[in-house]
Amino acid sequence: MAFYYPVPSPVIEFLVLGLVAEEASYGYEISQNLKLITAIKESTLYPILKKMELSGYLETYTEAHQGRQRKYYRRTQAGAQHFSFLEEEWKRYSRAIEDMAKGRLGK
């Protein structure tokens, strides 16, 4: 089920870092996986990937695939630490939303 409203950049970062935690992936594959749950466009994703690379959360390498070069992304140690931070933020945020939806906020 895809969300049809904009997903905040930190949520995209969290998802990307999870997707490339165990195995490197290329941009198109990442975008197709993200599209399973959000209506993200490549024009939105690629600047986020570049920002994450410049921040040291992702590293890249290229490999030939069917005569073309494909850019792969993999998570760095800094990316693993950022993922842990974002995971805790996500848990806190989702608990607050659940509490608010159930009328428990502030109790």
Side-chain angles (χ1 to χ4, degrees):
M1 172 191 217
F3 296 103
Y4 294 103
Y5 51 86
V7 176
S9 179
V11 174
I12 299 299
E13 290 181 21
F14 176 54
L15 296 172
V16 167
L17 290 169
L19 286 170
V20 299
E22 301 296 322
E23 186 176 332
S25 185
Y26 56 98
Y28 181 76
E29 183 177 51
I30 293 169
S31 74
Q32 293 307 297
N33 282 313
L34 290 174
K35 284 180 181 181
L36 295 172
I37 60 168
T38 184
I40 192 167
K41 294 180 169 66
E42 282 85 4
S43 61
T44 300
L45 175 62
Y46 283 102
I48 293 171
L49 291 173
K50 185 65 175 175
K51 178 183 142 230
M52 293 173 71
E53 182 182 0
L54 292 172
S55 297
Y57 302 143
L58 296 174
E59 59 186 8
T60 63
Y61 64 93
T62 57
E63 271 187 16
H65 178 76
Q66 297 179 346
R68 296 179 49 172
Q69 292 294 314
R70 198 179 256 178
K71 186 175 184 178
Y72 284 83
Y73 298 86
R74 64 178 159 221
R75 191 165 82 174
T76 63
Q77 183 60 37
Q81 292 171 345
H82 190 56
F83 177 82
S84 294
F85 169 77
L86 292 172
E87 184 176 32
E88 288 306 311
E89 288 295 299
W90 176 255
K91 288 176 185 176
R92 213 172 6 263
Y93 180 72
S94 61
R95 276 192 303 268
I97 288 174
E98 186 175 328
D99 286 348
M100 183 178 282
K102 295 184 177 178
R104 297 187 307 235
L105 192 61
K107 296 180 182 178

